[in-house]
Amino acid sequence: MKINPSFALFAAVLSISCAAQQTSSNPPAISSTVVIVGSPQAVTLGESNRSVVVMATQQHPRTFQTVEDRLRTDSSTYIEQRGAGGAQADISIRGSSFEQTLALINGLRINDAQTAHHNLDLPVPMDGMSSIEVLHGAGSTLYGSDAIGGVIDFVTAAPETTSLRFRSGVGSFGANDQAFTGSVLGKRWSELVSGERNFSTGFISDRDYRNENGSSETRWKTAAGESDILLAGSDRAFGADQFYGNFNSWERTKGWFASMRQELGDKTSAAFGYRRHSDIFILLRNDPAFYKNQHIDQSWQGAVRRNEHLGAKSSLFYGLEGDDDSIESNNLGKHARNWGASYLDADLQWKKVSLTAGLRQEIISGGYNVTSPTLAGSYWLGSEVKVRAAMGYGFRLPTYTDLYYSDPSTIGNPNLKPESAWNYEAGADWFAGAASYMSVTGFYSRQHDTIDYVRPNPNSQWQASNLTNLRYAGMETAWTWQPTHKQQIRLAWTFLSGAQQALNGLQSEYVFNYPVNNARFEWTAEPVRGYVLHNRVGIAQHYQKDAYPVWDAAIARERGRIHPYLQMSNVSNTGYQEIEGVPMPGRSFSGGVEILLKKETR
């Protein structure tokens, strides 16, 4: 029998990892992990009725280079990366298009109104985050437009002590990285400031990049409750060879984000957010005058939320939200739209049964009126196994690029309809003691008026169009095991099947770029006191293509004040593309030192 070399590599790393087990200890219970996304209030993983993955970004921070690396550990989240170093990447959850995933910062929308290619243009450095939470499946009842395939919430960190961190490193392809994070913790207030800068000459011509982002977050407590102000910004310039066709392009984006949250007693809270984003795109880097786009879009959002307790364990949540976005562009023109929404969500619990029912009504300028319901429930079979099921409706408005864009290879469509989907899922969670967690979920998505770019042949332009009769079905599995407090092993696999006949003979640019198989393995251990070793192997197989493996590894010191680290990317030196026509870097190394200055508590 012939063995696929990708899966042979997977098995080899797994065997090495399992052979390195250490003596047993008492790690914290996985079921007690707090989840925010997908629920109007924070719940534990054991209480959630939905399929959710939580990534603790403050845990072993030097073993991951970028947010994209963290997201890749979830087998149902597929990253379609263009620019290295976090310059640009698309997100797909359960086979959704990159435009059908909603990105949030602390529950506020950061999706780009111009194009979803910029949704991961994050202004907050990863060192300023506490966690990344991924909801699988529709989330429009709580979050509105774009939440068809799933929702990703980037949750910022609150200081636990007064400290200062400096980091500097170098790596392959002329890579250079500097960062700092400072925090002050007072009796009734705190401040966290974080900044990062990285650049590279590129692993091939016209794939250089320079990324900068920084944030400042202030929290304080008043008689009314906690207040929070976040200010953040980013500046990214990168070579874009083959990103959008056979062109040696160049692009620069800038982003600004500001938010304020205020608790108004125990039951009410208010939030406000503002986002501004600019994009300069040059089609031919060696001939900027040939074709140049310049876009500036901005969005405003506000929300008032309230909850009422219905007995000891049940609650009712409701609120009002308002959003506005606009764009000024030499290519897309000048446009604006706004919408308002109200939502109601009931969380009912009785003995071993949990039931969540929600409804959102959205009124959008242009004559659109959207109703987004959701229903989810779970039942405990004893003390370790929970079965759950959910159904929900998600929708998305076309971006301004979808509607109005035009260049030599791509053309928009002002007559596009909003796309939508009904999503269904059923699964089970097994909490085998405090240190082991297994999850299995089957899912099905029935989409309507799916937006994609299609063409009849390679000599034609890509045309934004609505597709009909698009269906997805699949299964996701994950197992996390913590045999000791010094070791964790995680396995995940997602299988996906789509209905390609929806194309009716046309070629698709984005919608069918999903992997039919996506497997992930992680092993984290402390082989020597004070040092952490992290291995992760991913194997992806696109539709009608061969599977490919990518092996990343890192080692870092986490004790004391001086933390040297070494990060190794694509150790397997695999030649692969996450987006067709855009090659990814081969084997590379990055290393450096982090210095921690920390106020000692007594």
Side-chain angles (χ1 to χ4, degrees):
M1 180 178 66
K2 185 178 180 180
I3 299 177
N4 189 308
S6 299
F7 292 94
L9 172 64
F10 190 94
V13 176
L14 176 60
S15 64
I16 294 172
S17 303
C18 292
Q21 295 180 14
Q22 301 167 27
T23 57
S24 178
S25 184
N26 296 314
I30 298 174
S31 60
S32 64
T33 300
V34 175
V35 178
I36 299 174
V37 72
S39 174
Q41 69 173 352
V43 297
T44 65
L45 191 61
E47 296 171 331
S48 178
N49 295 330
R50 300 292 301 275
S51 176
V52 179
V53 173
V54 179
M55 307 166 191
T57 55
Q58 296 297 314
Q59 185 178 25
H60 312 309
R62 301 285 70 83
T63 58
F64 292 86
Q65 291 188 24
T66 64
V67 164
E68 290 83 356
D69 291 338
R70 289 276 186 185
L71 289 170
R72 284 189 179 95
T73 62
D74 175 16
S75 64
S76 291
T77 300
Y78 183 63
I79 299 299
E80 302 166 334
Q81 189 164 350
R82 289 183 174 89
Q88 190 183 94
D90 296 339
I91 321 167
S92 171
I93 298 178
R94 287 182 174 173
S96 67
S97 75
F98 72 99
E99 297 181 304
Q100 295 176 344
T101 299
L102 176 62
L104 309 170
I105 292 181
N106 295 335
L108 292 173
R109 303 170 56 89
I110 58 169
N111 270 31
D112 191 71
Q114 175 211 335
T115 173
H117 289 313
H118 301 317
N119 287 354
L120 276 182
D121 202 349
L122 299 173
V124 179
M126 190 161 59
D127 287 344
M129 302 176 187
S130 65
S131 65
I132 302 172
E133 302 184 1
V134 183
L135 170 68
H136 299 164
S140 286
T141 302
L142 289 178
Y143 306 111
S145 178
D146 306 334
I148 292 179
V151 180
I152 300 178
D153 193 5
F154 299 94
V155 182
T156 57
E160 298 180 354
T161 186
T162 298
S163 64
L164 186 63
R165 293 176 181 265
F166 296 97
R167 186 177 82 249
S168 182
V170 296
S172 304
F173 315 124
N176 203 301
D177 179 53
Q178 295 88 35
F180 74 92
T181 300
S183 63
V184 180
L185 181 63
K187 291 183 178 181
R188 300 186 62 85
W189 66 279
S190 68
E191 173 71 28
L192 191 148
V193 178
S194 185
E196 183 173 10
R197 171 179 180 265
N198 63 70
F199 61 88
S200 168
T201 55
F203 73 101
I204 58 176
S205 177
D206 195 33
R207 291 292 296 276
D208 55 306
Y209 63 84
R210 176 189 53 78
N211 302 313
E212 299 172 345
N213 59 348
S215 64
S216 168
E217 187 166 18
T218 307
R219 293 179 168 90
W220 69 95
K221 296 180 179 180
T222 66
E226 185 176 83
S227 304
D228 185 316
I229 293 180
L230 172 65
L231 303 173
S234 64
D235 186 353
R236 308 179 192 277
F238 48 93
D241 184 56
Q242 309 298 309
F243 280 19
Y244 309 106
N246 190 23
F247 309 105
N248 62 329
S249 306
W250 181 87
E251 194 163 5
R252 182 179 183 182
T253 66
K254 292 183 179 181
W256 297 263
F257 180 78
S259 68
M260 180 175 182
R261 294 179 296 155
Q262 176 64 58
E263 292 179 350
L264 303 171
D266 295 333
K267 298 183 177 182
T268 308
S269 65
F272 169 82
Y274 170 74
R275 180 181 183 272
R276 185 178 190 271
H277 191 269
S278 67
D279 176 24
I280 298 175
F281 174 73
I282 295 174
L283 187 66
L284 301 178
R285 188 170 187 172
N286 54 358
D287 187 9
F290 175 74
Y291 184 90
K292 177 181 178 181
N293 285 334
Q294 186 162 358
H295 319 283
I296 299 176
D297 66 89
Q298 59 182 351
S299 60
W300 305 80
Q301 56 188 307
V304 178
R305 304 182 177 99
R306 186 172 173 82
N307 68 86
E308 304 286 352
H309 294 294
L310 305 175
K313 294 185 177 181
S314 299
S315 299
L316 182 68
F317 305 88
Y318 53 96
L320 297 173
E321 298 180 5
D323 294 82
D324 172 271
D325 64 45
S326 61
I327 189 167
E328 292 188 26
S329 164
N330 68 325
N331 184 302
L332 306 176
K334 185 176 182 180
H335 307 276
R337 59 191 174 192
N338 52 72
W339 57 94
S342 61
Y343 73 89
L344 180 68
D345 188 278
D347 186 0
L348 309 175
Q349 298 187 34
W350 181 71
K351 294 184 178 180
K352 296 182 178 182
V353 178
S354 176
L355 181 66
T356 300
L359 184 69
R360 182 187 186 94
Q361 190 66 42
E362 199 130 13
I363 300 175
I364 306 166
S365 59
Y368 297 115
N369 194 329
V370 183
T371 303
S372 303
T374 188
L375 180 65
S378 63
Y379 179 76
W380 282 92
L381 303 175
S383 60
E384 293 186 343
V385 178
K386 177 185 68 177
V387 293
R388 51 181 167 73
M391 60 177 290
Y393 181 82
F395 76 98
R396 183 183 78 86
L397 298 175
T399 63
Y400 292 120
T401 294
D402 293 334
L403 295 168
Y404 308 114
Y405 189 72
S406 176
D407 73 13
S409 65
T410 305
I411 186 170
N413 182 356
N415 298 315
L416 285 174
K417 302 175 184 178
E419 59 182 343
S420 61
W422 279 99
N423 290 349
Y424 307 88
E425 67 177 57
D429 301 322
W430 178 28
F431 299 94
S436 180
Y437 166 59
M438 180 175 288
S439 174
V440 178
T441 305
F443 56 87
Y444 175 75
S445 178
R446 182 177 181 179
Q447 300 197 6
H448 305 274
D449 295 320
T450 306
I451 298 174
D452 193 14
Y453 291 77
V454 297
R455 64 186 183 185
N457 56 69
N459 297 321
S460 301
Q461 284 182 300
W462 293 107
Q463 168 77 59
S465 305
N466 287 113
L467 304 180
T468 59
N469 300 319
L470 187 59
R471 308 287 186 267
Y472 290 107
M475 176 174 288
E476 59 190 20
T477 62
W479 175 51
T480 301
W481 179 37
Q482 295 175 321
T484 77
H485 70 284
K486 294 183 178 181
Q487 183 175 197
Q488 183 182 81
I489 295 172
R490 187 173 189 275
L491 292 166
W493 170 64
T494 297
F495 166 78
L496 190 64
S497 176
Q500 270 74 14
Q501 63 266 28
L503 287 172
N504 296 316
L506 297 173
Q507 297 178 355
S508 167
E509 186 172 16
Y510 295 118
V511 165
F512 294 102
N513 192 42
Y514 60 85
V516 295
N517 283 289
N518 196 20
R520 291 291 181 262
F521 164 74
E522 284 186 273
W523 171 59
T524 306
E526 187 180 333
V528 179
R529 179 177 173 85
Y531 287 85
V532 62
L533 176 63
H534 181 78
N535 273 283
R536 57 185 183 273
V537 176
I539 300 176
Q541 181 185 13
H542 287 254
Y543 178 68
Q544 293 184 335
K545 295 184 179 180
D546 295 331
Y548 63 86
V550 178
W551 178 10
D552 299 322
I555 185 169
R557 177 175 170 80
E558 296 186 338
R559 295 176 64 89
R561 295 183 176 180
I562 300 177
H563 303 158
Y565 63 89
L566 175 63
Q567 300 164 338
M568 296 159 280
S569 300
N570 195 2
V571 179
S572 51
N573 202 31
T574 304
Y576 69 103
Q577 300 175 0
E578 293 177 331
I579 294 178
E580 188 171 355
V582 183
M584 294 295 290
R587 184 185 298 116
S588 64
F589 301 87
S590 177
V593 176
E594 179 185 71
I595 299 176
L596 170 63
L597 304 177
K598 182 178 178 181
K599 181 179 179 181
E600 300 296 334
T601 57
R602 297 182 180 181

